[in-house]
Amino acid sequence: MHNKLTILFSTLLLITLISCSMQENEKGWTKLFDGKTTAGWHKYGGGAVGSAWKVKDGELYLDTLAKADWKIKEGGDIVTDKEYENFHLKYDWKISKNGNSGVMFYVQDDSVKYKASYETGPEMQVLDNDGHPDGKIFKHHAGDLYDLIPCSTKTVKPVGEWNHAEIICDHGSLTFKLNGTAVVQTTMWDDAWIELIANSKFKQWPGFGAFKKGHICIQDHGNMVWYKEVMVKEL
């Protein structure tokens, strides 16, 4: 009996320690997607999240069945209600065959001044590298700082599998991680950053990459894409 009580006590103690450790690890993190609704998000430029963005089984996904040209009816890019300055964002994504999407940050939610989210927000690319035409373009691959800096190494998983991504913006220091590996590291807003933009497709938009605070954005690029475990820690 004594041995059984000792084992029971030890087991309960271990569970308590693991629970405390998990709580400590999650300290400071805020869920941007609760797994049930699109609360905390709205359509770029204002208005409720379109009905093409759906939630099922703890996943946020874009339903592409109804289209008007290449755009999704009741879709569109979605942005966080809140703006972020220095932050650590992490999320899981899965792309459809031949699919394209992306996660942007420091987006200015002003569709009058900026007609699209990509006119202000740098992007971590989400892509089927093998199937989408962008897979043939340098600096357009999954995990790249889109059109600016390519991944230092390819860590993306095949279509249909989940990828774990992280974006860390800390007082100008920018790091992208994909599946546990740092794939992009750079400094924002210095002379080298300005030159990067000047040699990219974004040079036509003066506001691109210039802001130090803004919204986090998930892109509707007309293809099915899934996201889950989206959370942020302010630094």
Side-chain angles (χ1 to χ4, degrees), residues 48-77:
V49 173
S51 59
W53 286 102
K54 296 181 178 179
V55 177
K56 184 180 180 181
D57 298 329
E59 301 169 9
L60 172 67
Y61 72 98
L62 182 63
D63 185 345
T64 61
L65 289 177
K67 288 190 176 184
D69 296 322
W70 69 272
K71 292 186 177 180
I72 307 304
K73 287 184 180 179
E74 294 298 318
D77 294 356

Side-chain angles (χ1 to χ4, degrees), residues 167-230:
I167 299 173
I168 305 169
C169 299
D170 191 1
H171 297 85
S173 175
L174 175 64
T175 300
F176 285 178
K177 292 183 179 181
L178 187 61
N179 297 317
T181 299
V183 294
V184 172
Q185 291 180 301
T186 192
T187 300
M188 301 182 71
W189 312 309
D190 62 6
D191 290 343
W193 177 258
I194 293 170
E195 186 176 356
L196 270 178
I197 295 172
N199 292 318
S200 77
K201 65 188 291 184
F202 299 110
K203 62 186 176 183
Q204 60 187 301
W205 296 301
F208 178 82
F211 295 93
K212 299 181 179 181
K213 184 177 183 179
H215 302 267
I216 293 165
C217 174
I218 296 178
Q219 184 184 49
D220 167 2
H221 204 280
N223 306 124
M224 287 197 74
V225 64
W226 295 259
Y227 292 92
K228 66 177 182 177
E229 301 297 333
V230 186

Side-chain angles (χ1 to χ4, degrees), residues 99-132:
N100 188 338
S101 182
V103 174
M104 287 170 270
F105 51 100
Y106 295 146
V107 168
Q108 303 304 295
D109 190 23
D110 183 348
S111 59
V112 175
K113 190 172 182 179
Y114 308 106
K115 70 174 185 177
S117 55
Y118 55 74
E119 292 187 18
T120 57
E123 174 187 348
M124 187 175 187
Q125 174 77 306
V126 168
L127 194 77
D128 170 10
N129 286 348
D130 296 325
H132 192 276

